[in-house]
Amino acid sequence: MAFKIKEVADLVGISVRTLHHYDEIGLLIPDQLSQTGYRLYSEENLETLQQILFFRELDFPLKKIKEMMNQPDYNRQEALELHRKLLLEKHKRLDQLLFSIDKTILHMKGEIKMSQKEKFEGFDFSHNPYEKEARERWGDEKVDEAKEKTDKLTALEQQNMQNEMEELYRQIASVRHGAADGEEAQKLIHQWYLWLNKVGNYSLQAFKGLGEMYMNDERFTKNIDQFGEGLSEFLRQSMAVYADRRIKKGKDDV
């Protein structure tokens, strides 16, 4: 069954102009044209449109959506499973924010008391790459290099990278009460150094500087310490030990 562009717009609840734009940029090209030149969308086109809108709901830019969906290994079912996971995470964050708003209103009315920490529950900067700060500290070239690496990944690969990062945080958090220069900690910090160089190009000095930022920027501290109180400080110390040792040995490779 074929759908005219107005029928698709009415069915989905988006504008005809939006569909024209998706066609113009090669994101959603209708499978057919009528004899009079009108766009005709197939059921497969509608499935593609659904996935595009899921990505848009998660704030993916159109250019990135096109790149991901044009990957040879793009799998619709895997993408839907990822959409579901990310939307559930977004739902959880929004629920927490709404809960914080309700508590804040009660606090303002004098009906309850909120601690300073409670006022900021629900805010999550973990998906923010802090690009502005990174550019200021290490320059456009290094940031663009890192973005180029991550932009080539599919949505599933990006999620896997995120999972790897969080698992490393948890492992390092499990030894944070030990010595920062201990063998166990340094093995994990080496894995952290290798992981960072998958997405960027960090010299040992930059790696050490990143550790300092974990403590100097409260947003980093807040997000890292959710994996374990004091983790950001332990990372700072361990990363400094790791970098200094390798610099002393004349090693600056991965």
Side-chain angles (χ1 to χ4, degrees):
M1 180 178 177
F3 299 82
K4 295 179 180 178
I5 192 167
K6 184 66 167 59
E7 291 174 325
V8 174
D10 291 342
L11 174 69
V12 178
I14 59 177
S15 69
V16 169
R17 178 67 196 116
T18 296
L19 291 169
H20 282 164
H21 181 59
Y22 288 175
D23 187 2
E24 289 163 4
I25 65 174
L27 180 60
L28 179 65
I29 301 172
D31 282 345
Q32 303 175 48
L33 287 176
S34 69
Q35 291 182 346
T36 52
Y38 289 105
R39 295 172 173 84
L40 296 176
Y41 292 82
S42 66
E43 292 186 9
E44 187 174 356
N45 285 150
L46 294 185
E47 290 177 3
T48 300
L49 177 58
Q50 184 199 44
Q51 298 221 324
I52 291 169
L53 296 179
F54 277 134
F55 278 122
R56 291 296 290 150
E57 184 63 31
L58 292 163
D59 300 321
F60 281 80
L62 294 177
K63 181 180 179 182
K64 184 60 185 172
I65 296 172
K66 181 180 177 182
E67 289 174 2
M68 289 188 295
M69 296 186 72
N70 285 340
Q71 291 288 332
D73 59 348
Y74 180 79
N75 182 290
R76 286 185 174 180
Q77 183 174 330
E78 287 181 359
L80 283 171
E81 289 169 355
L82 176 60
H83 290 150
R84 187 179 189 280
K85 181 178 185 298
L86 294 178
L87 285 168
L88 283 171
E89 290 176 2
K90 182 176 181 179
H91 184 272
K92 182 179 178 181
R93 291 196 300 273
L94 290 174
D95 279 348
Q96 182 60 62
L97 286 170
L98 287 168
F99 182 63
S100 294
I101 287 172
D102 291 340
K103 285 176 67 177
T104 302
I105 291 171
L106 293 175
H107 172 76
M108 292 177 71
K109 290 179 176 179
E111 296 180 20
I112 65 169
K113 287 285 186 181
M114 286 182 79
S115 68
Q116 295 299 331
K117 183 177 180 181
E118 286 177 310
K119 292 177 184 178
F120 299 97
E121 287 177 350
F123 292 101
D124 181 7
F125 301 100
S126 61
H127 299 288
N128 186 334
Y130 308 119
E131 184 173 322
K132 181 177 182 292
E133 289 87 343
R135 289 188 183 279
E136 289 174 353
R137 291 170 189 264
W138 297 303
D140 287 347
E141 183 177 346
K142 287 191 179 297
V143 175
D144 289 338
E145 199 171 315
K147 283 173 67 65
E148 185 177 351
K149 284 185 179 181
T150 55
D151 285 348
K152 290 179 180 177
L153 301 177
T154 65
L156 187 59
E157 287 171 335
Q158 289 185 31
Q159 185 59 44
N160 287 337
M161 291 289 285
Q162 177 76 15
N163 292 340
E164 288 174 12
M165 180 191 75
E166 292 180 359
E167 178 58 26
L168 273 171
Y169 275 158
R170 282 189 283 269
Q171 289 181 28
I172 298 170
S174 72
V175 301
R176 71 187 187 283
H177 298 302
D181 60 353
E183 182 179 355
E184 192 172 14
Q186 288 301 301
K187 282 183 178 178
L188 290 170
I189 292 300
H190 178 61
Q191 293 302 313
W192 181 232
Y193 183 63
L194 295 178
W195 185 91
L196 284 170
N197 276 285
K198 286 182 182 179
V199 297
N201 183 16
Y202 291 85
S203 67
L204 288 168
Q205 200 60 50
F207 182 66
K208 183 177 179 179
L210 184 63
E212 292 293 332
M213 195 199 300
Y214 290 165
M215 286 302 298
N216 294 336
D217 190 316
E218 63 182 9
R219 293 171 300 175
F220 275 101
T221 304
K222 178 180 182 292
N223 288 305
I224 291 171
D225 282 0
Q226 68 182 333
F227 292 92
E229 187 175 355
L231 177 58
S232 53
E233 173 59 18
F234 185 78
L235 274 169
R236 183 190 69 79
Q237 294 177 14
S238 302
M239 290 164 73
V241 169
Y242 180 87
D244 289 342
R245 283 179 177 176
R246 290 177 70 88
I247 289 171
K248 188 174 181 180
K249 293 178 180 179
K251 294 180 178 180
D252 195 6
D253 56 70
V254 296

